[in-house]
Amino acid sequence: MDQGREFGDGTRVVHGGHPAPEGGTPLLPGPVFAAPYHLGETGPSGDFYGRAGNPTWRALESAIGDLDGGHCVLLPSGMAAISTVLRALLGVGDKLVLPSDGYYATRQFVTDEMAELSLRVREIATPGPWTVEVFAGARLVLLETPSNPGGDVCDIAELAARAHAAGALLAVDNTTATPLGQRPLELGADIVIASDTKALSGHSDLLLGHVSVRDEELAQRLLRARTLSGAIPAPFETWLAHRSMGTLDLRLARQAENAAALVDALDGHPKVTGLRWPGWSKDPSHELAARQMRRFGGVLRFELPDRAAVEEFLRRSELVVPATSFGGVHSTADRRAQFGDPVPEGFVRFSAGCEDPADLVADVLRALA
Ligand SMILES: *Cc1c(COP(=O)(O)O)cnc(C)c1O
């Protein structure tokens, strides 16, 4: 695809990373599983060993990198993406700013697996307060917006400028938004990280992650880290994610339509409090989200009175399955307190799937009745 031309999102996810049409060749070539490649004249790919390079990775990296607006490095999971960035950038005694309300495993990785670096870790909630002291002396500031599970939003452009002024790099965990929902690199971030296990692949059948960066040298460093650590993505999962990404635009549109319909139906419901979705005009984050996001996706959250009320809701629903993770074609609900998130017992992260809006709303209201 001519990457210089500005095609729309639907076109870009369908065509991104696919080879130029040539008679007798497949539209989407199958996955390449090779460990060693024939040596000799290797041609432009330079492939010689499967841990160092693979055409199936490069095809998806080209598609995602084009959307993110940077050089993409695929990794075998979202946590592999996060841990690779943290390990590559942080040294002994460095200051790291982390979201206190973001993905729990990121905080756990820093505490449990990076203890030997004696990092100075400053945790802060996504809405702030982003005081001068937060940035002072920081090496890396990691944002997660919208945050998982709370759905709070922070201003990427403003915080990137402030991080840079303090001499820090700014990274954004863009998992909940996907590259169609938000382009952090265009807003001034240095690094975008995502779990493609969620909406990007979107069928609840694989784990994958990626990092995209603007700086070519940093991209080379992350590639080297992947090759030497040996934590490489599987070619089959990579291929399956590429195939699945073709419908990302359609899936996100239906998920957002379902989220909007659910928010409408749940607004003012006697059992429901704390309803949040960045796409909702009444959400405290909406104004900022509308300014920096391109679309809102299907993840909302609300609270029921207690744990029993959530369990009853999930028992009675025919369409909503209890599951962690989000962004798949099936609607799922996750009572986050069971995984140790600092939220109330009745807190539900709801991932609107691709069911018919009328069916989903009717099912949720029936299950809550
Ligand atoms: C799921 C998730 C991750 C971790 O991704 P895995 O693919 O499960 O390793 C990281 N960040 C956020 C925001 C997530 O939702």
Side-chain angles (χ1 to χ4, degrees):
M1 186 166 70
D2 175 3
Q3 309 217 332
R5 205 151 82 220
E6 260 312 295
F7 285 112
D9 285 351
T11 309
R12 293 170 81 184
V13 294
V14 168
H15 288 273
H18 290 234
E22 200 181 311
T25 65
L27 271 76
L28 177 59
V32 172
F33 298 114
Y37 295 76
H38 288 293
L39 296 177
E41 278 301 320
T42 56
S45 79
D47 285 331
F48 63 98
Y49 188 59
R51 178 159 44 72
N54 175 297
T56 310
W57 298 345
R58 287 194 297 275
L60 182 57
E61 283 169 342
S62 148
I64 296 176
D66 175 51
L67 293 171
D68 274 336
H71 307 281
C72 171
V73 179
L74 273 187
L75 288 146
S77 67
M79 278 315 297
I82 290 169
S83 62
T84 301
V85 166
L86 296 180
R87 286 241 181 258
L89 293 179
L90 296 168
V92 173
D94 277 346
K95 177 172 169 183
L96 167 67
V97 179
L98 280 185
S100 60
D101 53 351
Y103 191 64
Y104 72 105
T106 302
R107 294 189 300 275
Q108 220 172 328
F109 176 78
V110 169
T111 311
D112 296 358
E113 299 296 324
M114 299 190 88
E116 78 279 9
L117 289 187
S118 305
L119 298 173
R120 291 171 292 136
V121 180
R122 175 73 163 85
E123 288 189 8
I124 177 158
T126 297
W130 292 95
T131 56
V132 173
E133 163 272 321
V134 173
F135 295 96
R139 165 82 180 121
L140 177 67
V141 177
L142 174 67
L143 309 179
E144 192 177 302
T145 176
S147 61
N148 168 23
D152 270 310
V153 171
C154 58
D155 190 328
I156 296 172
E158 185 202 322
L159 298 178
R162 292 179 60 192
H164 294 156
L169 290 170
L170 187 103
V172 177
D173 184 328
N174 202 39
T175 300
T176 52
T178 82
L180 296 199
Q182 180 167 272
R183 307 246 159 93
L185 299 183
E186 288 178 4
L187 296 168
D190 303 287
I191 300 163
V192 54
I193 303 174
S195 166
D196 302 323
T197 308
K198 315 292 168 52
L200 189 134
S201 64
H203 290 70
S204 311
D205 52 9
L206 62 86
L207 284 100
L208 200 66
H210 79 269
V211 181
S212 291
V213 297
R214 278 180 301 178
D215 185 63
E216 167 83 41
E217 235 170 84
L218 180 53
Q220 289 304 325
R221 193 152 153 215
L222 295 168
L223 276 174
R224 225 168 25 246
R226 178 178 72 185
T227 301
L228 295 177
S229 72
I232 56 168
F236 183 73
E237 270 82 341
T238 304
W239 176 83
L240 199 51
H242 199 163
R243 177 189 191 274
S244 303
M245 206 179 82
T247 54
L248 179 59
D249 177 63
L250 296 171
R251 286 184 279 109
L252 287 176
R254 173 57 73 85
Q255 288 168 345
E257 181 187 353
N258 276 339
L262 284 168
V263 163
D264 255 359
L266 296 179
D267 183 18
H269 191 286
K271 284 190 187 150
V272 172
T273 55
L275 183 61
R276 297 285 305 268
W277 180 55
W280 186 29
S281 61
K282 291 188 198 170
D283 190 285
S285 291
H286 181 66
E287 196 206 341
L288 174 55
R291 216 174 340 118
Q292 79 181 359
M293 296 184 72
R294 304 156 47 88
R295 61 168 88 193
F296 302 112
V299 181
L300 56 138
R301 58 98 143 172
F302 55 83
E303 280 159 50
L304 298 181
D306 51 29
R307 173 181 173 165
V310 178
E311 288 170 352
E312 176 71 7
F313 164 66
L314 290 169
R315 214 170 17 250
R316 295 171 54 127
S317 168
E318 275 184 273
L319 298 179
V320 183
V321 294
T324 192
S325 194
F326 55 88
V329 293
H330 306 81
S331 287
T332 59
D334 191 8
R335 196 179 67 77
R336 286 305 306 174
Q338 74 189 306
F339 293 104
D341 277 354
V343 294
E345 286 291 321
F347 180 107
V348 176
R349 184 185 66 208
F350 192 102
S351 176
C354 294
E355 297 88 351
D356 284 301
D359 290 340
L360 185 59
V361 168
D363 178 72
V364 166
L365 290 178
R366 209 180 317 114
L368 282 173

